[in-house]
Amino acid sequence: MPRDVPLQSLALLLALGACSGSTAAGAGNAVSAGITNLAPAASVPQPAGWADDLALRVPTDLNPDPDILEINLEARITEMEIVPGHKTPVWSYDGGLPGPLIRGKVGDRVIVHFRNSLPDSTTIHWHGMRVPNHVDGAPGATQPPIAPGAEFTYDFVLADAGTYWYHPHLDSAAQVNWGLYGPIVVDDPAEAGMFGDELVLMLSDMSIDETGAFTPSRTGGAFGDLFGREGEVLLVNGKVVPELLVRQGKPQRWRIINAARSRYYSFRFSPGVITRIGGDGGLIERPEPANLIKLVPGERTDVVFTPQGNPGTEMTLLWQPTDRGYGSTFNRPLEPVMTIRTVSDAPVAPARLPPELRDVEAIDTVGATRQFIDMTIISVEDDAVSMGINGIDGRHHDHEQVILEARVGETQIWEVRNDTDFAHPFHLHGFFFQVLDPADPSPEWKDTVDLPAKSSLRLAVYFDNRPGLWMIHCHILDHAELGMMGLLRVLP
Ligand code: C2O
Ligand code: CU
């Protein structure tokens, strides 16, 4: 569309921080030319109150052992003001949006005494984490649904450094949209101080109208089903367009989580602003300069943001549409997500990142078993869309309808195919995989990956010693709830 061109440049202009003049590039050069006169980033703090708007609640640790985080967590309805002047009955963890930040170091034990004070049954799934099977939170597969008024204790060890999240696994398109999600960070003490100050940014959206009421969960009929429903209100850490204060040149680490039920997030940046350092399962091998951040639902990315806006200027971080098939980007406006204000203090000299972050060993695929996985749309009728994996509608799944099997100690190569007209974020519970991409051989630990329309991917998975039933599904939660989910049985 002819409109695309001006829109793209607008995105660049705004996302890059050139809001108050046309001389951003020139000023940027002047700054780099004079860089030796600037104080080193490490010796200058972030602006006072820089991340106050984005603060996350932390739970009370009931256990005196420094290696155990033991908490109470209650799911309940809490009225919140999301549309100014109106109340929304948010489904919350502990009365906040998002839920409290669960944070510990690798090897710590986490005990969550969960209480369901919602009107419906629920469970908690620890997205991306290698937890024991019985606490994975998949109803019907690893535990019964937790009924209203009932309690369940989740108890596991933090196995891998990285950024994760938790959310319900029952009626999830609705429950996640209503507010049930929270962040998890697992620290590797070796990373301490490596990337400077840090921010966890939990992105989500919510389907509410101008009076703050939730719109019905299944609006738009088959059309809404096929596209997956995106909420009108975009939230970062539960806030509408929060403000972040930054200092030119002073880096900060952003651990970004896409907790939206269906929305893909893409952001564009000018060169030198963003460096990708990690993804779903911790750090990647080497820092990668990036101009685009893209997160499918469920996915995480870890970046270092080095602000380049001139002192005293303001920019808007803009959501931009991502192609997820079938005209999904057509005529869609850019949407503001966060305001980034560069304080007027003197800039600092940007810090350098270590050239090597860590070794990520490639999964050895010699002798691996091959499996085929097909993301399918089985039938589309006005009000009855059926989706599945390998042609099986997962809504009717029971223990007999295991779509894949593996053995503890086995490595498999999965050929995942999407012959539909819509993109699907492919997610595996409980185990990381590596995408076998001949164009980019550097391995990375992932649990969620985009599968664009009419495409296929090869993944390598190694099954460690956690037998049981594990879910595979599309993380567009509307699709998962329409059957695009299935069970993998890992045999002892
Ligand atoms: Cu976030 Cu079944 O997953
Ligand atoms: Cu899907």
Side-chain angles (χ1 to χ4, degrees):
M1 299 306 101
R3 275 191 65 194
D4 273 354
V5 180
L7 273 182
Q8 292 293 345
S9 33
L10 180 68
L12 279 166
L13 212 67
L14 293 177
L16 305 189
C19 83
S20 67
S22 53
T23 56
N29 290 341
V31 167
S32 356
I35 220 151
T36 44
N37 304 326
L38 300 174
S43 63
V44 180
Q46 299 287 354
W50 64 292
D52 283 0
D53 231 9
L54 294 152
L56 293 164
R57 295 164 311 134
V58 289
T60 307
D61 187 356
L62 307 169
N63 197 306
D65 186 328
D67 300 328
I68 302 177
L69 174 64
E70 185 166 5
I71 63 170
N72 290 325
L73 190 71
E74 184 190 34
R76 60 171 183 264
I77 294 180
T78 310
E79 301 232 297
M80 286 183 211
E81 188 176 311
I82 292 171
V83 175
H86 296 277
K87 294 265 182 266
T88 299
V90 171
W91 288 38
S92 77
Y93 288 119
D94 274 3
L97 186 70
L101 170 65
I102 294 178
R103 182 163 204 157
K105 56 187 186 305
V106 175
D108 283 358
R109 181 174 166 198
V110 173
I111 305 166
V112 179
H113 302 286
F114 175 66
R115 182 181 176 82
N116 178 13
S117 302
L118 299 166
D120 283 349
S121 296
T122 192
T123 62
I124 303 183
H125 168 58
W126 311 93
H127 182 120
M129 306 192 76
R130 294 195 295 154
V131 296
N133 185 256
H134 68 280
V135 291
D136 189 52
T142 70
Q143 69 169 100
I146 305 164
E151 295 180 1
F152 190 89
T153 295
Y154 293 95
D155 187 340
F156 51 87
V157 168
L158 301 175
D160 306 278
T163 310
Y164 308 92
W165 62 298
Y166 55 100
H167 64 78
H169 225 284
L170 204 83
D171 198 11
S172 60
Q175 293 194 3
V176 169
N177 175 56
W178 294 334
L180 290 173
Y181 45 79
I184 306 174
V185 172
V186 183
D187 288 307
D188 176 349
E191 285 173 33
M194 226 159 120
F195 308 106
D197 304 285
E198 179 179 317
L199 212 51
V200 176
L201 299 175
M202 192 156 216
L203 309 174
S204 63
D205 63 8
M206 207 174 238
S207 302
I208 44 179
D209 64 22
E210 55 293 338
T211 71
F214 287 118
T215 48
S217 259
R218 283 195 69 199
T219 49
F223 214 64
D225 288 339
L226 289 167
F227 276 101
R229 296 167 182 87
E230 296 178 5
E232 300 76 19
V233 177
L234 278 68
L235 300 167
V236 187
N237 294 359
K239 297 267 177 54
V240 178
V241 198
E243 183 183 67
L244 174 67
L245 301 183
V246 302
R247 187 189 301 279
Q248 187 182 352
K250 173 80 181 173
Q252 45 183 278
R253 178 184 189 171
W254 288 357
R255 296 174 178 267
I256 314 175
I257 306 164
N258 182 356
R261 86 197 260 198
S262 294
R263 183 185 287 267
Y264 282 38
Y265 276 85
S266 294
F267 303 110
R268 217 166 259 292
F269 296 87
S270 62
V273 173
I274 288 288
T275 305
R276 197 168 86 92
I277 55 168
D280 292 347
L283 297 179
I284 52 177
E285 292 202 287
R286 277 170 289 280
E288 289 174 0
N291 296 344
L292 180 75
I293 293 179
K294 175 185 156 189
L295 293 115
V296 303
E299 203 174 21
R300 287 86 67 210
T301 194
D302 204 341
V303 300
V304 172
F305 169 67
T306 307
Q308 286 185 351
N310 293 327
T313 61
E314 199 173 272
M315 62 176 169
T316 304
L317 184 66
L318 291 169
W319 175 91
Q320 63 170 56
T322 316
D323 183 11
R324 43 192 196 87
Y326 219 88
S328 50
T329 58
F330 179 70
N331 244 345
R332 296 208 53 185
L334 303 166
E335 296 180 53
V337 168
M338 184 163 76
T339 302
I340 302 175
R341 196 151 63 78
T342 310
V343 295
S344 47
D345 310 31
V348 296
R352 279 194 204 297
L353 292 176
E356 310 281 332
L357 300 176
R358 71 158 169 173
D359 282 333
V360 178
E361 210 181 313
I363 294 176
D364 180 2
T365 55
V366 175
T369 320
R370 283 160 70 89
Q371 300 262 32
F372 293 88
I373 300 177
D374 197 18
M375 311 298 270
T376 13
I377 295 176
I378 300 169
S379 61
V380 179
E381 273 150 46
D382 276 355
D383 211 29
V385 172
S386 166
M387 299 192 182
I389 298 183
N390 291 355
I392 297 172
D393 185 327
R395 279 175 296 186
H396 312 303
H397 78 245
D398 51 36
H399 292 200
E400 311 314 308
Q401 286 193 333
V402 169
I403 52 164
L404 288 181
E405 280 195 344
R407 267 188 193 286
V408 166
E410 190 183 13
T411 299
Q412 297 196 341
I413 292 181
W414 289 1
E415 186 106 34
V416 191
R417 201 176 57 158
N418 173 11
D419 213 17
T420 74
D421 291 322
F422 299 88
H424 303 290
F426 177 85
H427 173 49
L428 166 65
H429 282 207
F431 301 88
F432 290 117
F433 52 75
Q434 290 178 352
V435 178
L436 302 174
D437 179 355
D440 172 24
S442 59
E444 171 178 350
W445 295 114
K446 291 201 60 67
D447 53 70
T448 309
V449 66
D450 189 27
L451 192 58
K454 306 283 179 197
S455 75
S456 65
L457 273 178
R458 286 169 71 242
L459 313 176
V461 205
Y462 170 75
F463 297 97
D464 61 37
N465 192 10
R466 285 169 305 124
L469 290 168
W470 298 94
M471 294 204 73
I472 299 169
H473 62 91
C474 175
H475 222 288
I476 288 182
L477 297 174
D478 292 271
H479 291 178
E481 294 300 335
L482 289 163
M484 200 173 269
M485 55 182 165
L487 290 172
L488 156 78
R489 192 203 314 270
V490 179
L491 300 159

